[in-house]
C-alpha cells in the first residue's frame, strides 16, 4: 500500500475510533462539490459507519451543484453505508433575507449566513440520528488564514483533514479516486452569487498561502521575490484579522480568593 493509502486508512480509523469512544452512530458531512468535502466524505465512508452526505444548495452555481450531486452518487455506488440527501435551502435563505429587510445587513454577513444555515441543517440531522458533524476544513484555512465562517463551516464536531495542507488534500483525493472534475475545479466557498473563487477573495492561491504558512512556522529567512513578499503580507494580514476564529473564545476569569 502507498504512503497516501496508509494515511487515508489512519485518518479513517481515527474518525471511527473517536465515534466509537463517544457512542456516535452516524457521520454527517456537507458536500459542496469541492475537493476538501469530497476527501472528507470519502474518508468518512471508509469507516463503515452510516454516513449521511448532504448537498445543500443556496442559489448555487449549477457546476457546483452538479459536482456535489455526482460525488454523492459516486459515494453511494461504492459504499453501501452512504446515504445522500438533497436539502435545498434557497427558499429558507430567501425568507431569512426578506425578514431582515429594514436592517443594515452587509453582503459579507449574508454570505456567512448561508454557511450558518448549512451548519444548522447538519446539526439538525446529526442531532436527530445520533450522529456527529464531520468538518471539511484544511490546515491553511483552519489554522493559517482563518478562511471559514465562524459557527458556519467552522461549526463541527471533528476535523479529520485540518492538519493537511491543500496540496496533501489533493494528493489524497487522487489516491482515493475522487472525480477528476472535482480535483480540477477552482476552489470556492460557494457563498457568493457571482461564483468568486477562494483565490479571488484571498488574493493568493492555496499553494502560495501554504508556502507562506510553512515559511512563517519555520521562521525561515533568505532572499524573497517580490511576489513572495506580497504573499507573506497577505498571509499575515489574513492571519491577524481572523485570529479570533482560530483562538479559544475569551472567557472572563473571576477572582476566587
Amino acid at each position: 500500500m502507498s504512503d497516501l493509502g496508509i494515511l487515508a486508512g489512519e485518518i479513517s480509523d481515527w474518525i471511527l475510533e473517536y465515534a466509537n469512544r463517544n457512542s456516535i452512530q452516524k457521520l454527517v458531512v456537507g458536500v459542496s462539490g469541492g475537493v476538501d468535502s469530497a476527501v472528507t466524505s470519502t474518508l468518512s465512508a471508509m469507516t463503515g459507519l452510516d454516513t449521511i452526505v448532504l448537498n445543500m444548495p443556496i442559489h448555487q452555481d449549477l457546476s457546483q451543484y452538479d459536482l456535489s450531486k455526482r460525488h454523492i452518487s459516486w459515494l453511494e455506488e461504492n459504499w453501501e453505508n452512504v446515504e445522500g440527501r438533497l436539502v435545498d435551502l434557497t427558499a429558507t435563505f430567501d425568507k431569512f433575507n426578506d425578514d431582515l429587510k429594514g436592517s443594515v445587513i452587509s453582503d459579507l454577513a449574508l454570505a456567512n449566513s448561508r454557511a450558518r444555515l448549512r451548519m444548522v441543517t447538519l446539526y439538525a440531522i446529526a442531532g436527530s440520528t445520533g450522529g456527529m458533524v464531520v468538518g471539511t476544513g484544511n490546515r491553511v484555512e483552519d489554522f493559517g488564514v482563518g478562511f471559514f465562517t465562524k459557527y458556519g463551516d467552522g461549526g463541527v464536531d471533528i476535523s479529520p483533514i485540518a492538519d493537511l495542507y491543500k496540496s496533501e488534500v489533493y494528493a489524497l483525493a487522487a489516491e482515493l479516486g475522487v472525480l477528476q472534475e472535482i480535483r480540477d475545479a477552482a476552489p470556492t466557498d460557494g457563498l457568493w452569487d457571482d461564483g468568486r473563487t477562494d483565490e479571488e477573495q484571498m488574493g493568493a492561491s492555496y499553494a502560495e498561502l501554504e508556502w507562506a504558512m510553512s515559511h512563517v512556522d519555520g521562521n525561515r529567512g533568505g532572499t524573497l521575490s517580490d511576489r513572495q513578499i506580497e504573499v507573506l503580507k497577505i498571509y499575515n494580514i489574513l492571519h491577524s484579522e481572523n485570529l479570533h476564529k482560530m483562538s479559544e473564545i475569551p472567557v472572563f476569569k473571576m477572582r476566587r480568593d
Side-chain angles (χ1 to χ4, degrees):
M1 183 180 291
S2 68
D3 289 343
L4 286 170
I6 293 172
L7 175 62
E10 288 176 344
I11 297 174
S12 184
D13 288 345
W14 178 80
I15 297 171
L16 179 60
E17 289 168 7
Y18 181 89
N20 289 338
R21 194 164 65 248
N22 291 279
S23 301
I24 300 297
Q25 301 172 16
K26 293 182 185 292
L27 307 177
V28 181
V29 191
V31 174
S32 66
V35 68
D36 293 328
S37 65
V39 167
T40 301
S41 55
T42 303
L43 294 171
S44 297
M46 288 168 57
T47 65
L49 288 175
D50 288 343
T51 302
I52 302 173
V53 288
L54 276 74
N55 184 354
M56 298 174 286
I58 302 176
H59 293 293
Q60 217 66 27
D61 181 273
L62 184 59
S63 63
Q64 297 168 16
Y65 170 80
D66 183 60
L67 285 176
S68 174
K69 182 179 178 181
R70 289 178 59 194
H71 177 69
I72 290 173
S73 295
W74 177 78
L75 287 174
E76 290 179 317
E77 290 168 3
N78 286 279
W79 284 275
E80 294 182 354
N81 54 308
V82 172
E83 175 192 351
R85 296 188 189 181
L86 170 63
V87 182
D88 193 332
L89 294 170
T90 300
T92 304
F93 175 75
D94 287 346
K95 180 63 168 63
F96 173 77
N97 196 8
D98 287 343
D99 288 344
L100 286 173
K101 289 293 172 61
S103 302
V104 180
I105 306 297
S106 70
D107 290 341
L108 178 59
L110 280 175
N112 284 327
S113 294
R114 297 190 188 201
R116 291 178 177 126
L117 283 174
R118 292 185 176 123
M119 179 274 293
V120 169
T121 303
L122 291 167
Y123 270 99
I125 292 174
S128 302
T129 58
M132 68 177 179
V133 177
V134 183
T136 62
N138 61 64
R139 182 182 179 88
V140 174
E141 292 171 338
D142 284 6
F143 301 110
V145 295
F147 191 68
F148 60 89
T149 298
K150 201 172 187 177
Y151 304 117
D153 49 330
V156 301
D157 292 311
I158 190 173
S159 294
I161 65 168
D163 196 42
L164 274 62
Y165 286 115
K166 192 80 168 185
S167 60
E168 294 169 326
V169 176
Y170 277 117
L172 260 188
E175 176 71 19
L176 295 171
V178 168
L179 297 175
Q180 187 69 49
E181 293 87 343
I182 291 177
R183 288 148 51 194
D184 290 341
T188 176
D189 57 17
L191 302 180
W192 302 88
D193 290 336
D194 60 12
R196 67 190 68 175
T197 66
D198 293 352
E199 182 173 350
E200 289 170 340
Q201 293 187 65
M202 294 187 290
S205 68
Y206 277 103
E208 289 176 320
L209 293 170
E210 183 173 317
W211 166 82
M213 189 174 183
S214 298
H215 185 86
V216 171
D217 289 349
N219 293 314
R220 295 173 184 162
T223 303
L224 302 178
S225 68
D226 289 345
R227 178 55 182 170
Q228 287 175 322
I229 292 171
E230 183 181 4
V231 169
L232 276 175
K233 182 178 180 181
I234 291 170
Y235 175 84
N236 286 325
I237 289 173
L238 290 172
H239 182 82
S240 177
E241 288 179 344
N242 293 318
L243 191 58
H244 67 97
K245 301 181 190 178
M246 300 178 277
S247 304
E248 292 184 5
I249 297 172
V251 177
F252 171 77
K253 294 296 185 181
M254 184 175 175
R255 290 181 59 183
R256 301 181 186 276
D257 298 327

